[in-house]
Amino acid sequence: MNIEQHKAWVIEFYRNRGWLQLSSDRRLNFLTEEVGELSQAIRQFEYGRDHPGDKVVSKQTEKDHIVEELADVMDEVLIFCDKYDISVQDLLDYSEAKLAKRFKTE
């Protein structure tokens, strides 16, 4: 599945669950929550935690958690793309053009 197909799949999944109609500020709240969870996963992978309630897991399990949280962040971004009728390709093109212009690369 490519990213546009995944976007369509996520949108349909959220629509079927009744989650798609949530307001932008609620969606932004979910995105912020997912970024926080990504931050925790990266901190765990990079530095570990010394907390008595945490069980010890393998580095692969920690990395898998980073993948999970990155996917959650991506899905929230894709939902915003759909909401504002922005193609993923437009996002990629904009990012590349902005960075190339900012740093004068080609």
Side-chain angles (χ1 to χ4, degrees):
M1 186 180 296
N2 68 37
I3 188 112
E4 289 292 347
Q5 291 168 326
H6 178 73
K7 177 184 164 192
W9 183 89
V10 165
I11 296 307
E12 186 62 22
F13 180 85
Y14 273 60
R15 182 176 288 116
N16 290 338
R17 306 275 310 175
W19 298 341
L20 202 57
Q21 80 283 358
L22 297 176
S23 64
S24 293
D25 58 334
R26 296 263 325 260
R27 287 255 66 89
L28 191 55
N29 220 12
F30 291 138
L31 175 59
T32 302
E33 180 180 335
E34 295 302 345
V35 170
E37 291 172 3
L38 174 61
S39 178
Q40 287 179 323
I42 289 172
R43 181 188 68 185
Q44 175 68 33
F45 185 84
E46 295 290 333
Y47 306 110
R49 275 180 42 116
D50 186 15
H51 188 279
D54 288 348
K55 65 179 182 177
V56 176
V57 297
S58 69
K59 286 311 251 185
Q60 185 60 54
T61 298
E62 290 176 352
K63 187 173 181 180
D64 292 345
H65 191 207
I66 292 172
V67 170
E68 174 187 357
E69 298 307 337
L70 278 169
D72 290 347
V73 168
M74 179 185 69
D75 287 348
E76 291 297 333
V77 169
L78 293 176
I79 290 167
F80 276 112
C81 286
D82 182 72
K83 181 172 183 64
Y84 295 108
D85 196 27
I86 300 168
S87 77
V88 177
Q89 190 59 55
D90 287 347
L91 257 161
L92 299 175
D93 294 345
Y94 186 89
S95 174
E96 290 174 21
K98 177 183 77 173
L99 291 172
K101 181 179 178 186
R102 182 177 293 166
F103 296 99
K104 309 289 188 248
T105 64
E106 308 225 5

